[in-house]
Amino acid sequence: MKPLSLLIEILIILGVIIKNIEAEKHSKKQTERNATTQVSANELKQFLSHILERRKLIKVIYQRENALGKKKIQRKLRIKGIQNKDLSKRNKNHLRKQAKKNFTDEGDQLFKTGIKILQQSKNQKQKAEAYVFFAKAADMGNLKAMEKMADALLFGNFGMQNITAAIQLYESLAKEGSYKAQNALGFLSSYGIGMEYNQAKALIYYTFGSAGGSMMSQMILGYRYLSGINVLQNCEVALNHYKKVADYIADKLEKSEGIPVEKVRLTERPENLSSNNEILDWDIYQYYKFLAERGDVQIQVSLGQLHLIGRKGLDQDYYMYLEGNVAAPQNNATAFKYFSMAASKGNAIGLHGLGLLYFYGKGVPVNYAEALKYFQKAAEKGWPNAQFQLGFMYYSGSGVWKDYKLAFKYFYLASQSGQPLAIYYLAKMYATGRGVLRSCRTAVELYKGVCELGHWAEKFLTAYFAYKDGDIDSSLVQYALLAEMGYEVAQSNSAFILESKKAKILEKEKMYPMALLLWNRAAIQGNAFARVKIGDYHYYGYGTKKDYQTAATHYSIAADKYHSAQAMFNLAYMYEHGLGITKDIHLARRLYDMAAQSSPDAHIPVFFALMKLETVHLLRDILFFNQFTMRWKWMKLDNTLGPYWDLFVIGLIVAVLIFLLRNRYG
């Protein structure tokens, strides 16, 4: 039995949401969004328990009816004889199967309708309407619709986040063999969100999820085996998992299904993105359109691609004659005409387009020699797609002799511009040792980059907007899932949210330890800011015991490897006071100077730190003329002003400077 209570409640909630949206459609977008996403978790829980009780009652009545029905059948059999027994059973079974089929077919149809609405949706109202159909389909036992509703409850779509209810749905789905549910339960177990924190159980869920076909589970396991998270580090196993996902992504990329998503860093990004779901502002779009009409080919292509797939809030306009679709039938002649016009002006995109026409034989006979010629001309102009095509021709032996060395050369050139398929083929070459010395680690890192282009990366956008709108729990759940999949940006964003202690889905005492874990994972992937954060956590004792020596180690790594000004400053302070390391005033001065040279922002803090250091050093030379007196006076300062007396000295210096400046200009 499915948790019908949840589904009925969702239907009610979505109905209210749609009415609210219609009532307030002329108000501001932010007000509309807030009004349409208010859902009471307590009401949902109460309604859930009420319906669950009703289900139990229905089950009892059903059992009683079955018992009475059996008795009636037995009486009839005695009268009519054994011959009618088989006929009666056949008729009943046929009716039950037919009713079940009709029920299932209706649920499937409702789900498909919901998907169609969702794909064509341009605003929150239309998305909410899609989820009404999902809820109805789920009520009829449609597993895919139930997965949609469970995800909505977990991630807080339309403001109706209820993790307890989501877990109930996922557990029910997992029993039905849903790999998406297995993955979700693994994720929740790995963080202890709404469930017991249990890494062993999470690993089991992920294993079942990957076996069932979950690309997310495959990616999570790949990252775990790559990094040795609760499993023995094993590059070959990681390679196997990442390759399966990369193959899937490459197939999508070859069909032009997907555009890389911006991954906003909460630790660095200024408050400069609008909190609405349309990433491309209408004003920016108009400006791009103006540039395109003025002849900017790059902008023309970008807008063409956006219109082709209907992304970033734009209607689908199909004016890509090369690919063709329902709105504008594929027209090779028109494509050849415009590509030729662009190519005659030496435009790389036009040259590449002609190469594609000859390579695939669209509107012209297949001619690999001509394709090679145009690809080479476009590649010389630095067009990465043409570089990739050249690499592919040499890799596959299409119209040329196979040459893995040349293939590697062109794939590498294209990969430097971020061409995803070039990165994919480079990974294949490193994994198999074709044209290059085999390297499991390099292959895994490249495959990982391709995997991170999957459609799940769109959660970076919804997570960011949830954060901007103040829905911290929804944002955290989405970032945390991406962090589990190995996205470094998501790891640092999740840690940033956790250390703010604004989230409510985790106990307060778990936040710092979990944040420290995520900062550590981000640091391992090369995030300098995360490395400094680990040092801070050990310095202050956040989520772990105070350990100056470990803090100094992490600051040293950040300073030496990433030239972090903050790390240099912190390390200088520790050398100045001998915290966890041997006191060294000369090295402290040097590190303060290096911090100022590394970042303009460090100039003022370094100035005051050096002023304090020199002042204290001078006072010590004047006042503390022997070792005994020095120790006694130093202890007296600590006892009188506390362990942070040096900050008092800095404040005193600032006050003196202000006084002198006022007297000078007064």
Side-chain angles (χ1 to χ4, degrees), residues 339-385:
F339 282 140
S340 296
M341 288 170 62
S344 66
K345 297 176 183 178
N347 179 266
I349 300 172
L351 291 165
H352 173 248
L354 284 177
L356 289 175
L357 290 173
Y358 281 111
F359 186 82
Y360 291 107
K362 292 189 174 185
V364 291
V366 171
N367 190 326
Y368 289 130
E370 284 293 296
L372 183 68
K373 179 181 77 175
Y374 285 115
F375 287 149
Q376 284 175 333
K377 287 182 178 180
E380 287 169 4
K381 294 180 178 294
W383 187 238
N385 289 345

Side-chain angles (χ1 to χ4, degrees), residues 348-420:
I349 300 172
L351 291 165
H352 173 248
L354 284 177
L356 289 175
L357 290 173
Y358 281 111
F359 186 82
Y360 291 107
K362 292 189 174 185
V364 291
V366 171
N367 190 326
Y368 289 130
E370 284 293 296
L372 183 68
K373 179 181 77 175
Y374 285 115
F375 287 149
Q376 284 175 333
K377 287 182 178 180
E380 287 169 4
K381 294 180 178 294
W383 187 238
N385 289 345
Q387 291 167 346
F388 162 72
Q389 287 296 152
L390 280 175
F392 181 76
M393 289 185 76
Y394 284 112
Y395 181 86
S396 60
S398 302
V400 293
W401 291 104
K402 279 188 180 182
D403 189 329
Y404 292 129
K405 295 290 183 184
L406 277 176
F408 180 86
K409 171 191 170 182
Y410 286 113
F411 285 149
Y412 180 79
L413 285 172
S415 72
Q416 296 306 292
S417 301
Q419 216 287 345

Side-chain angles (χ1 to χ4, degrees), residues 100-372:
K100 186 176 180 181
K101 184 179 183 301
N102 293 339
F103 197 69
T104 303
D105 289 346
E106 188 177 351
D108 291 344
Q109 190 57 46
L110 286 166
F111 176 74
K112 289 176 183 177
T113 304
I115 288 292
K116 187 176 180 181
I117 293 171
L118 189 64
Q119 289 174 342
Q120 296 175 351
S121 64
K122 297 174 186 176
N123 53 50
Q124 291 294 96
K125 177 187 171 183
Q126 291 174 341
K127 288 177 182 176
E129 287 174 352
Y131 275 84
V132 170
F133 283 95
F134 293 149
K136 289 178 180 178
D139 193 22
M140 294 182 171
N142 186 286
L143 294 180
K144 290 182 179 178
M146 289 178 71
E147 289 171 346
K148 285 281 187 186
M149 301 315 300
D151 288 346
L153 287 164
L154 175 61
F155 299 119
N157 297 359
F158 313 109
M160 60 180 184
Q161 189 176 43
N162 187 320
I163 291 171
T164 303
I167 289 170
Q168 288 187 28
L169 261 180
Y170 283 132
E171 287 176 340
S172 177
L173 285 163
K175 291 175 183 176
E176 299 289 338
S178 167
Y179 63 79
K180 290 185 179 180
Q182 298 279 4
N183 183 74
L185 291 171
F187 158 64
L188 293 167
S189 297
S190 69
Y191 281 88
I193 299 175
M195 299 178 69
E196 179 191 4
Y197 176 81
N198 192 324
Q199 290 292 341
K201 188 178 284 188
L203 188 61
I204 293 170
Y205 278 127
Y206 289 143
T207 303
F208 278 112
S210 65
S214 169
M215 292 292 109
M216 285 187 176
S217 289
Q218 291 278 11
M219 201 166 160
I220 290 168
L221 287 174
Y223 177 64
R224 287 193 166 217
Y225 279 102
L226 173 64
S227 307
I229 300 172
N230 299 110
V231 292
L232 290 174
Q233 197 170 19
N234 191 320
C235 184
E236 295 298 334
V237 176
L239 178 64
N240 182 51
H241 285 294
Y242 272 124
K243 184 183 182 303
K244 290 177 182 176
V245 184
D247 289 344
Y248 168 80
I249 299 299
D251 181 62
K252 294 287 185 184
L253 290 171
E254 285 172 348
K255 296 174 183 175
S256 301
E257 296 178 11
I259 289 179
V261 175
E262 182 182 9
K263 302 174 181 67
V264 181
R265 286 189 187 277
L266 301 181
T267 55
E268 299 174 4
R269 185 78 174 204
E271 305 295 313
N272 62 354
L273 277 186
S274 168
S275 58
N276 94 45
N277 282 341
E278 311 304 338
I279 307 307
L280 189 62
D281 255 8
W282 182 249
D283 290 339
I284 297 173
Y285 166 68
Q286 291 295 334
Y287 177 63
Y288 281 178
K289 190 175 179 183
F290 168 75
L291 291 177
E293 290 171 352
R294 290 287 298 271
D296 191 314
V297 180
Q298 296 283 358
I299 295 295
Q300 290 170 350
V301 173
S302 296
L303 287 180
Q305 289 173 336
L306 290 173
H307 281 293
L308 176 66
I309 59 175
R311 296 291 286 275
K312 298 195 175 183
L314 303 179
D315 294 335
Q316 278 190 306
D317 281 339
Y318 300 96
Y319 296 112
M320 303 290 284
Y321 292 100
L322 176 60
E323 295 182 13
N325 41 56
V326 178
Q330 196 266 344
N331 192 317
N332 293 322
T334 306
F336 188 86
K337 171 188 171 183
Y338 286 115
F339 282 140
S340 296
M341 288 170 62
S344 66
K345 297 176 183 178
N347 179 266
I349 300 172
L351 291 165
H352 173 248
L354 284 177
L356 289 175
L357 290 173
Y358 281 111
F359 186 82
Y360 291 107
K362 292 189 174 185
V364 291
V366 171
N367 190 326
Y368 289 130
E370 284 293 296
L372 183 68

Side-chain angles (χ1 to χ4, degrees), residues 539-602:
Y539 184 91
Y540 294 107
Y542 295 157
T544 185
K545 292 180 180 179
K546 275 190 179 182
D547 188 338
Y548 290 141
Q549 191 172 355
T550 303
T553 299
H554 286 288
Y555 290 146
S556 295
I557 293 170
D560 296 340
K561 191 173 181 179
Y562 305 109
H563 308 291
S564 166
Q566 183 66 60
M568 292 172 186
F569 186 92
N570 294 352
L571 200 57
Y573 184 87
M574 296 184 80
Y575 272 112
E576 180 185 349
H577 296 279
L579 300 173
I581 45 182
T582 306
K583 189 172 183 177
D584 190 329
I585 298 298
H586 298 293
L587 188 53
R589 284 197 190 100
R590 183 185 170 194
L591 284 165
Y592 279 135
D593 289 336
M594 288 172 65
Q597 292 168 10
S598 298
S599 172
D601 295 337

